[in-house]
Amino acid sequence: DVKVTQSSRYLVKRTGEKVFLECVQDMDHENMFWYRQDPGLGLRLIYFSYDVKMKEKGDIPEGYSVSREKKERFSLILESASTNQTSMYLCASSRHNSGANVLTFGAGSRLTVL
Amino acid sequence: GESVGLHLPTLSVQEGDNSIINCAYSNSASDYFIWYKQESGKGPQFIIDIRSNMDKRQGQRVTVLLNKTVKHLSLQIAATQPGDSAVYFCAENPNTGNQFYFGTGTSLTVIP
């Protein structure tokens, strides 16, 4: 069963801490994405990557960075966590330039920043 | 970002009835649309998709209708079951790459 795996389902961090959210996909997908999901706001794109060592800013990149050292792994980094980064974080992947580039999502990582 | 919105944030239906979830999109250049279902504690899961060269597509118990004239998308679920209770999102691809823009979601509750 192909899937996207987010290693941490629930995290609690303190303001100012550095946070790593890891995402791994086993579908050999070129594209990977990080979204955050907040009530009433839907899914908003933070960063995405079309290839190894490549990254592009999404709609809300401020306060975040990403790393894509291997094709299957896409990490989201909060350099100094703040309370307004408390959210559900969703990783997704897709094939590049395919006829139907459906996003496959992980189960999500719920982050609470105190 | 793109504006993709849903007309109703919540919807309650009786088990066995048909459900209709609506979505408005703003970018007339969007050429690909997907409906996702998100159950509590899980990530969104693909339900059905449709390209802009079609106005209707059917799956198992689900139908997506696309009206490009008024930029409207709907998801119809036939004979709604308790397992259909979830949040449903529409997503549009504005043909500028591999990005999707998502609506805020509609919460569907099925009453047994």
Side-chain angles (χ1 to χ4, degrees), chain B residues 14-20 58-63 75-81 84:
Chain B
Q14 207 70 37
E15 181 178 359
D17 287 351
N18 297 334
S19 302
I20 299 176
Q58 288 184 292
Q60 187 177 12
R61 283 201 308 116
V62 294
T63 301
L75 176 70
Q76 299 178 2
I77 305 173
T80 313
Q81 303 169 358
D84 295 326

Side-chain angles (χ1 to χ4, degrees), chain A residues 1-9 21-27 32 34 72-75 89-93 104-109:
Chain A
D1 194 20
V2 294
K3 58 184 177 182
V4 177
T5 302
Q6 295 182 231
S7 54
S8 300
R9 291 299 309 275
L21 299 179
E22 304 287 345
C23 175
V24 177
Q25 50 94 6
D26 63 2
M27 296 166 282
M32 296 190 75
W34 275 105
E72 67 270 18
R73 187 179 298 270
F74 193 35
S75 302
Y89 290 89
L90 291 165
C91 176
S93 70
T104 300
F105 283 89
S109 298

Side-chain angles (χ1 to χ4, degrees), chain B residues 10-25:
Chain B
T10 61
L11 178 65
S12 295
V13 296
Q14 207 70 37
E15 181 178 359
D17 287 351
N18 297 334
S19 302
I20 299 176
I21 300 172
N22 297 303
C23 177
Y25 64 94

Side-chain angles (χ1 to χ4, degrees), chain B:
Chain B
E2 297 297 320
S3 172
V4 182
L6 295 167
H7 294 311
L8 293 172
T10 61
L11 178 65
S12 295
V13 296
Q14 207 70 37
E15 181 178 359
D17 287 351
N18 297 334
S19 302
I20 299 176
I21 300 172
N22 297 303
C23 177
Y25 64 94
S26 60
N27 191 335
S28 56
S30 291
D31 65 349
Y32 182 52
F33 305 85
I34 299 178
W35 279 101
Y36 283 92
K37 173 186 180 183
Q38 186 177 24
E39 297 175 274
S40 180
K42 298 183 179 179
Q45 292 181 299
F46 171 88
I47 302 173
I48 193 167
D49 58 357
I50 190 167
R51 294 211 168 270
S52 58
N53 60 353
M54 304 172 68
D55 53 19
K56 181 179 179 178
R57 189 159 190 228
Q58 288 184 292
Q60 187 177 12
R61 283 201 308 116
V62 294
T63 301
V64 55
L65 299 177
L66 175 62
N67 185 331
K68 294 180 287 294
T69 302
V70 295
K71 291 183 284 188
H72 183 268
L73 195 69
S74 68
L75 176 70
Q76 299 178 2
I77 305 173
T80 313
Q81 303 169 358
D84 295 326
S85 292
V87 176
Y88 290 82
F89 294 94
C90 63
E92 66 171 311
N93 184 320
N95 197 26
T96 57
N98 290 279
Q99 296 182 53
F100 281 86
Y101 293 92
F102 287 80
T104 54
T106 290
S107 177
L108 174 65
T109 300
V110 181
I111 304 165

